[in-house]
Amino acid sequence: SKRFPKWAAVILNYINGAGTAADDAAAVEDPLVYQLLCSHSIGAIHLLVFVRQTLANNISQVIMSKVPTGTKVLGVVQTNKGAVGCTFLLGGCERICFIACHLNARAERVTRRERDFATIYAGISADQQEKMDVQMVDNIDHIFWIGDLNYRTEMVDDHTKRSFMNTKTEFDTVCRLAAEEKWEKLMAWDQLRREMGAGSIFAGFEEHPIEFAPTYRMIKNKFRAYGLKNPTRFQAPSYCDRILWHSVS
């Protein structure tokens, strides 16, 4: 996107307070002043990593990666899905990796999302191996994996285990539970938590407890109101955007 550099500048100004010229001069000695370490994009997927200026001289071996996972068109993998990554060494001893991704959409595409994850993991691992002779997880101290993972809320009957995926019953029930703030019940139907529990994806990763309403697909300027992209396809409100992390220690 042509606006990406402008976004980077706006975000950096916001993080640093965007003060006056006098404030900026005084901020040089402020340990909380940040600077842009790296920016990377693939299609509409963007990653910005900011670091404190006091740490900048302690960072080395910056590696940037991009892995497309979209549909092949004329033999070329499209960049509408995939990931970008930034890995660096902090203080000569801690290797840190940030990954921003956009996985396959729709509730029924769980297997395709797992395949996206495996492709991204392998692609970024290959970059690490080629450039620094290190591999993911085993030799990276901290990984932060963020983005539109696209896992959905899938209503399942507690007794029969029947799935109500993409039905009006599911949509209405999830909307009601969100209004009632029944976060624990919603998370019990969360596809990502289910697949992580089964060891199918993100093995060893953690996530902060979710105690807020689903973020997809909200109607703008309305409190906890959800809409349909297609009136004939009932996509239940879901926690598509996630932040996961993995630490070897």
Side-chain angles (χ1 to χ4, degrees), residues 41-166:
S41 299
I42 181 171
I45 305 167
H46 308 297
L47 175 66
L48 296 166
V49 178
F50 300 95
V51 299
R52 291 182 182 179
Q53 287 185 348
T54 52
L55 294 176
N57 289 335
N58 296 320
I59 291 175
S60 61
Q61 299 179 9
V62 178
I63 301 172
M64 293 186 288
S65 307
K66 59 175 64 178
V67 184
T69 62
T71 304
K72 275 191 176 183
V73 177
L74 299 177
V76 178
V77 180
Q78 300 301 293
T79 59
N80 61 315
K81 299 292 187 291
V84 290
C86 174
T87 307
F88 55 89
L89 189 65
L90 175 62
C93 60
E94 282 195 303
R95 201 170 296 277
I96 300 172
C97 178
F98 290 91
I99 299 171
C101 75
H102 187 189
L103 306 185
N104 256 282
R106 299 196 185 184
E108 62 271 20
R109 294 178 178 169
V110 173
T111 301
R112 289 183 64 175
R113 285 189 280 279
E114 291 174 2
R115 189 163 64 237
D116 286 349
F117 170 81
T119 301
I120 293 165
Y121 189 98
I124 294 181
S125 288
D127 281 347
Q128 307 292 331
Q129 186 71 38
E130 177 184 353
K131 297 173 183 176
M132 294 307 306
D133 195 29
V134 296
Q135 295 181 352
M136 292 281 281
V137 178
D138 291 337
N139 292 291
I140 293 182
D141 298 279
H142 308 287
I143 302 174
F144 298 90
W145 198 306
I146 63 177
D148 185 356
L149 274 58
N150 252 322
Y151 281 89
R152 307 303 174 93
T153 306
E154 183 182 347
M155 179 180 170
V156 177
D157 186 279
D158 293 337
H159 302 292
T160 65
K161 303 304 179 183
R162 172 193 171 193
S163 172
F164 290 84
M165 181 189 295
N166 295 333

Side-chain angles (χ1 to χ4, degrees), residues 202-245:
F202 288 108
F205 278 78
E206 299 178 67
E207 183 179 36
H208 194 276
I210 292 179
E211 298 176 340
F212 52 85
T215 54
Y216 175 88
R217 165 179 300 265
M218 283 186 165
I219 299 175
K220 290 182 180 179
N221 302 319
K222 290 190 177 182
F223 182 69
R224 288 183 190 164
Y226 298 93
L228 299 173
K229 184 176 182 179
N230 186 319
T232 63
R233 191 171 73 238
F234 292 94
Q235 298 185 77
S238 300
Y239 299 97
C240 292
D241 305 300
R242 311 293 276 263
I243 302 173
L244 306 176
W245 69 87

